[in-house]
Every structure is written in structure tokens, then in C-alpha cells.
Amino acid sequence: MKKYDGYVMTAKIGYIAASVMTAVLGAVFIFAPETSIAVICRLLGAAAVICGIIKLFGYFSRDMYRLAFQHDLAFGIMLCAIGIIAVVKPVKIISAAHFAVGIIIIADGVFKLQTAIDSKRFGLGKWWLIAVCALLCFVHGIILVSDPFEAAAAMTVLMGIAMIVDGIMNFCVAFCAVKSRSGKDHVDAEFTTEKK
């Protein structure tokens, strides 16, 4: 049991670290929008690989509710693949960087919206916070994909804002939905299915 709790806490800490990293990188893009697009792609790629690895680790941990990491096998693999391409061949995706980030944030928002709904079913009080952040991520992702600005600097700032929102969302998920099987996080629950 302690071994599994150790995995869960490691995954939770990693999830929080990835959330902070995403938000910090977003802040860099906001305050330094004139940064080279190639540099931006490599930074995004490195962040995606790190986040992907953390998500994969989280998926194979055994947190009690299995809410936060339930979609992270496929999502982690996708992040790692996109990240490696961005680091190795940044020129290939320069023109589509905002589109790729938008798709990732839309997907993360949709998955976390399901996490919020499942959290409500489990009786977690902060499910609404996850839902609000998920909806904000979804909206920002749609805006990124629609490419409303012609100026690269404006799109970089928009990417930064979207990444900060995504980081905050994942931070909330880590605190609200990741629970160990022992100690003060432990909750006994019994689920029954009734046919009407």
C-alpha cells in the first residue's frame, strides 16, 4: 500500500511541477512575444515531452479515484510524439505551432471536463473549479486554432495565456482529484447500481 501511495505522490508532485512549468513557459511567451519562432517550438517541444512522460507515469500510478490520470496514456504518448518532432524539426511545424498548441489545449480541456463530471459523481467538492478551468482551456484552444491574429507576436501572447490557463487547470486537478489510498486522503466509498 505504501509503495502505491509513493507512486501516487510522485505522480502528483510531477503533475504539479508540469503545471507550473506550463504556466511559467506561458508567462515567458507573454512577456517575450518577439522570441524566435524556432526557439518557441523547441521550448514547446521540450515541455511537451516532459509533460508527456509525467502523464504516462501518472497513468500507471494507482491513485484512489483514478480521475486525474484516466486519459493520460494516449495523451502522454501524443505529447511525447509532438514534442520530439518540435525539438528535432522545429522548422517543419513553425507555421502550425499555434494550431498544434490549440489542439492539445482543446483535448486537455475536454478530458478535464470529463474529469470534473466524474469528480462530481465521486462527491469531490472542488469539481466545479476543474470544470471552469476546463471550459476556459477549451475556449482558448478554439481561439488558437481559429488563428484570429496575423501578427506572430500576438499569437505568441495568446499561446502564453492559453498555457497559463492550462497550467492552472492541471494544478487544480492535481490538488482536487489525485488521492492516495491511505492517510488523510483515504475515503471509504461503496458504489451500487440500481435498476429502475
Side-chain angles (χ1 to χ4, degrees):
M1 189 70 72
K2 289 183 178 179
K3 181 179 179 182
Y4 292 140
D5 286 347
Y7 287 148
V8 173
M9 289 309 298
T10 301
K12 184 173 184 175
I13 292 168
Y15 217 74
I16 292 170
S19 302
V20 172
M21 179 186 67
T22 301
V24 168
L25 189 55
V28 169
F29 291 163
I30 290 173
F31 294 108
E34 302 297 337
T35 305
S36 163
I37 297 296
V39 171
I40 287 174
C41 286
R42 286 196 172 97
L43 286 173
L44 286 172
V49 171
I50 293 169
C51 289
I53 291 170
I54 290 171
K55 284 182 179 292
L56 289 173
F57 186 86
Y59 179 82
F60 289 107
S61 72
R62 296 188 179 184
D63 75 297
M64 189 173 70
Y65 295 143
R66 300 190 70 79
L67 293 173
F69 309 125
Q70 60 182 319
H71 305 291
D72 282 358
L73 177 61
F75 201 51
I77 292 171
M78 181 184 74
L79 281 175
C80 287
I82 292 174
I84 290 169
I85 293 170
V87 170
V88 176
K89 297 285 186 180
V91 178
K92 297 286 186 181
I93 65 166
I94 281 176
S95 61
H98 67 276
F99 185 83
V101 172
I103 292 296
I104 290 171
I105 289 178
I106 287 171
D108 206 15
V110 170
F111 291 150
K112 293 306 186 295
L113 185 59
Q114 181 179 337
T115 298
I117 293 169
D118 291 340
S119 296
K120 183 181 180 183
R121 291 174 180 164
F122 272 89
L124 300 183
K126 299 293 185 182
W127 67 270
W128 59 269
L129 186 59
I130 300 171
V132 169
C133 290
L135 289 172
L136 286 173
C137 276
F138 182 79
V139 170
H140 279 85
I142 292 292
I143 294 172
L144 275 175
V145 170
S146 66
D147 193 10
F149 304 114
E150 293 183 3
M155 287 304 299
T156 302
V157 170
L158 187 58
M159 272 197 297
I161 294 170
M163 290 175 69
I164 288 174
V165 174
D166 190 65
I168 292 171
M169 177 185 68
N170 284 299
F171 190 82
C172 291
V173 169
F175 271 103
C176 298
V178 179
K179 303 293 180 182
S180 63
R181 295 171 183 264
S182 64
K184 63 182 179 181
D185 281 340
H186 182 73
V187 175
D188 289 321
E190 182 178 347
F191 297 92
T192 59
T193 306
E194 295 182 2
K195 293 184 179 180
K196 295 184 180 180

